[in-house]
Amino acid sequence: MTLFQLLQAYDFDEIMATVNAMFPGTAQYRPQLQQAYDLLLGMNPVESKKNIRYKLLHDADDDISYMGADDANFHTTWEVCLGKQVVREKGVDLSDQELAANCLVNVAFQARGPKAFDQAKAILMRR
């Protein structure tokens, strides 16, 4: 399933509830994430041969493992992110809704968005 299809499967309130559960304290960024979600659903995805790959990652500093996607998966335009397949590697038990929430946050913070999102991204980056 592409990121575009994954985002289309849920309304913003469903995704935001999951974002809040996964990233405590993000409720303050609801307007910015709502704008990102709305802009993303209004875009045309660009097909990509690359994936957004969720896997088990290890944080050597804290000696913990967690499920996530490498930041590099999001270092492109929003349209290209939307066209990428979202893939779970073995051992990743995130639900589709959790994947949608995590991708929305990563796209908003890391990917190159449209000019219309510049002001909202500046607010996100002040965190």
Side-chain angles (χ1 to χ4, degrees):
M1 170 179 309
T2 66
L3 176 55
F4 188 70
Q5 293 166 328
L6 189 59
L7 291 174
Q8 286 181 316
Y10 301 96
D11 66 36
F12 179 74
D13 289 335
E14 292 173 302
I15 292 175
M16 193 63 208
T18 304
V19 168
N20 284 329
M22 294 174 79
F23 306 105
T26 53
Q28 65 183 322
Y29 301 115
R30 181 183 180 84
Q32 293 77 27
L33 294 173
Q34 172 86 57
Q35 183 183 9
Y37 174 83
D38 293 341
L39 287 167
L40 285 162
L41 289 185
M43 292 180 160
N44 293 318
V46 172
E47 191 174 327
S48 176
K49 293 181 190 242
K50 296 184 179 182
N51 297 322
I52 298 172
R53 183 170 299 280
Y54 280 82
K55 58 188 176 180
L56 294 176
L57 299 169
H58 183 74
D59 183 345
D61 294 337
D62 294 329
D63 198 32
I64 59 169
S65 293
Y66 60 96
M67 291 173 266
D70 289 324
D71 290 349
N73 288 248
F74 301 96
H75 292 172
T76 188
T77 65
W78 283 16
E79 293 89 349
V80 171
C81 286
L82 286 170
K84 290 183 177 187
Q85 295 290 320
V86 180
V87 177
R88 288 179 197 87
E89 286 189 359
K90 185 177 179 180
V92 174
D93 63 357
L94 296 172
S95 69
D96 284 353
Q97 191 168 332
E98 289 170 325
L99 291 176
N102 190 274
C103 283
L104 175 63
V105 170
N106 279 302
V107 168
F109 275 89
Q110 298 185 58
R112 290 188 309 273
K115 290 265 186 225
F117 191 68
D118 284 353
Q119 187 176 3
K121 186 166 186 168
I123 292 168
L124 290 175
M125 300 311 287
R126 283 188 271 180
R127 57 185 169 102

